[in-house]
Amino acid sequence: TVLSGSRPWARIYLPQPWLSRVETGTLVDVFVDGRDSPMQGRVRHIESRPSFTPYYALAEEDRQRLTYVTEVDLLAEAALKLPVGIPVRVGLRGQP
């Protein structure tokens, strides 16, 4: 979801399997409905604890369902015109 401020940013839920591949500063593709090409984004923060479910309550096979609240700065100037609250999808650069 896109949020505003001096620079627009998105709040996303990072799946646990991505946690070892994404860190603060990682460049990502941000896909917005109605736009033909993705915008560039940069991860600025990843929560250290998963959302909703404590990790110690899960069996090993359930851990892949964990998600981590992550903030992504939208680097494109076009992001300034996006409405607050519009849903987005994020992908690793160069991957669908």
Side-chain angles (χ1 to χ4, degrees), residues 4-90:
S4 70
S6 59
R7 162 129 344 251
W9 59 283
R11 178 180 295 131
I12 65 165
Y13 292 90
L14 185 70
Q16 186 275 336
W18 281 31
L19 199 54
S20 63
R21 297 186 286 165
V22 176
E23 59 188 25
T24 301
T26 298
L27 293 177
V28 294
D29 290 323
V30 180
F31 298 89
V32 180
D33 288 347
R35 297 187 59 90
D36 293 332
S37 58
M39 295 182 178
Q40 186 177 33
R42 178 177 288 121
V43 174
R44 73 171 174 190
H45 177 75
I46 302 171
E47 288 291 327
S48 59
R49 294 185 183 187
S51 298
F52 310 118
T53 307
Y55 71 90
Y56 51 81
L58 298 175
E60 185 174 347
E61 61 273 4
D62 291 330
R63 289 186 191 143
Q64 66 183 359
R65 297 184 195 163
L66 293 174
T67 59
Y68 296 79
V69 173
T70 302
E71 297 173 359
V72 176
D73 287 322
L74 303 177
L75 304 178
E77 288 300 316
L80 294 169
K81 297 179 183 176
L82 292 175
V84 172
I86 191 169
V88 297
R89 182 176 53 86
V90 174

